[in-house]
Amino acid sequence: MIHLLATGGTIAGEADPDARPGRYRAGVRPVEALLAAVPGLDALGPLTARQILALDSKDMTPADWLTLLAATRAALDEPACAGVVILHGTDTLEETAWFLHLTLPAGKPVVLTGAMRPADHPAADGPANLRAALRLAASPEACDKGVLVVMNGQIFGARGVVKARSTGLDAFESPEPWQSARPDGRFAGLQVAELPRVDILPGYAGSPADLIDASVAAGARGLVLALAGNGSVPAAWLPALRAARRQGVAIVRGSRAAGPVEADANADDTGEGWLTAGDQPPPKARIALMLGLASGLGGEALRAVLLACDAARSSRPAQA
Ligand code: SIN
């Protein structure tokens, strides 16, 4: 039995009659209608379907992640469940996949998919993606691979997958193999009512330091810095970052370029008390930091979480 959980997205989108031609609304078509469009559905075996959310994924919140996590855990706990498929908007799909990868138990397959074209498009990609995801979730080969993403005939691991292009059926890519390392399962039993606020602050020419003060004043318990180059911290940011550290705010130095950002390589991370994202893109480092903070971790334990999530470290051959 495969359990299908729907959250909205373009895969459930339809043309917007109130907008100019070409615009559509995501997350309006119910999961039963999406299943009805899948070719050869009967041959795919037994399944159940539940509408968990009906969102455009740009509006997905950390609270929604917790709702989806609870629904996925409950589905996986059912003895008859062989795997779970989650339908999701593509815009933040990689964030939800990484969040679930870090918080779900190993074992049964969990596969996310979506679509780049709405359900009423004459060449909609959703039905084929959904079919592929259902087949993968029923496959013994997908067990113990961590959370997977299926798009456009390709399988990706949660750790590496990114939506690299804003349009086109081949929007997703990954620099890594489809099996993602699951850091150490430390968050698999995490039970929290809410996740702490962690903001991402972009570094760019002239980026103002008062955005740091604003985040901290608004209650951020962590900041992920999406900086230029090798995580280069603007000199003008230093006083605000030091003030944030004095207030106990965790700071992760990351890059808006592909990583890695290594500890102490391009800044005095040890002296400043900063963490580094390794090769995690800022949105994924943010999730690792949120989970660490939600678990009450700090200092070296928080550093260990970021290091464990840095897949390049775990797959990089040891230096002779
Ligand atoms: C969304 O992310 O919900 C809209 C865009 C998409 O699914 O492709």
Side-chain angles (χ1 to χ4, degrees):
M1 177 78 73
I2 301 300
H3 289 242
L4 175 63
L5 308 178
T7 71
T10 292
I11 194 167
E14 291 180 0
D16 184 346
D18 301 327
R20 69 167 174 77
R23 284 245 180 101
Y24 64 92
R25 285 178 301 188
V28 293
R29 200 171 271 200
V31 64
E32 295 78 13
L34 304 183
L35 275 172
V38 174
L41 185 67
D42 290 347
L44 294 179
L47 62 89
T48 68
R50 272 186 69 199
Q51 191 78 44
I52 305 297
L53 301 163
L55 291 174
D56 187 315
S57 78
K58 66 180 170 52
D59 298 320
M60 185 83 58
T61 65
D64 294 323
W65 290 342
L66 292 175
T67 300
L68 184 57
L69 174 62
T72 311
R73 282 176 173 164
L76 292 171
D77 279 348
E78 289 191 26
C81 173
V84 172
V85 171
I86 298 171
L87 302 183
H88 198 289
T90 63
D91 283 353
T92 64
L93 187 147
E94 70 214 51
E95 295 178 48
T96 301
W98 184 229
F99 173 77
L100 293 176
H101 181 79
L102 294 178
T103 51
L104 288 173
K108 298 176 184 177
V110 175
V111 182
L112 276 76
T113 194
M116 292 300 292
R117 294 174 178 156
D120 59 356
H121 190 285
D125 53 329
N129 286 343
L130 174 49
R131 186 172 196 281
L134 290 168
R135 288 188 61 204
L136 182 63
S139 161
E141 278 182 72
C143 291
D144 288 317
K145 299 289 193 297
V147 169
L148 299 171
V149 172
V150 170
M151 287 294 293
N152 195 35
Q154 286 188 282
I155 304 171
F156 304 99
R159 172 61 186 75
V161 69
V162 288
K163 185 174 182 180
R165 284 170 285 280
S166 56
T167 59
L169 297 183
D170 61 346
F172 283 80
E173 65 182 34
S174 172
E176 295 172 9
W178 61 283
Q179 175 175 356
S180 304
R182 195 183 295 269
D184 58 6
R186 81 166 69 214
F187 303 122
L190 184 75
Q191 301 281 354
V192 288
E194 61 181 358
L195 291 162
R197 174 168 171 164
V198 172
D199 291 342
I200 299 174
L201 296 178
Y204 49 90
S207 48
D210 52 14
L211 295 181
I212 297 165
D213 303 328
S215 271
V216 173
R221 292 186 46 214
L223 300 176
V224 175
L225 312 182
L227 299 163
N230 189 10
S232 305
V233 180
W237 281 21
L238 286 173
L241 290 175
R242 288 173 182 156
R245 281 299 296 138
R246 284 195 293 277
Q247 293 184 57
V249 176
I251 291 169
V252 174
R253 203 166 55 83
S255 177
R256 65 188 203 192
V261 175
E262 308 271 8
D264 291 323
N266 190 27
D268 180 15
D269 297 299
T270 303
E272 300 285 355
W274 298 337
L275 307 167
T276 46
D279 72 348
Q280 291 180 93
K284 292 191 182 180
R286 171 181 179 247
I287 290 167
L289 182 58
M290 289 168 105
L291 290 171
L293 292 171
S295 306
L297 304 180
E300 282 310 307
L302 212 43
R303 188 182 310 278
V305 166
L306 269 297
L307 285 176
C309 291
D310 179 1
R313 282 173 203 280
S314 52
S315 62
R316 193 180 296 151
Q319 297 295 312

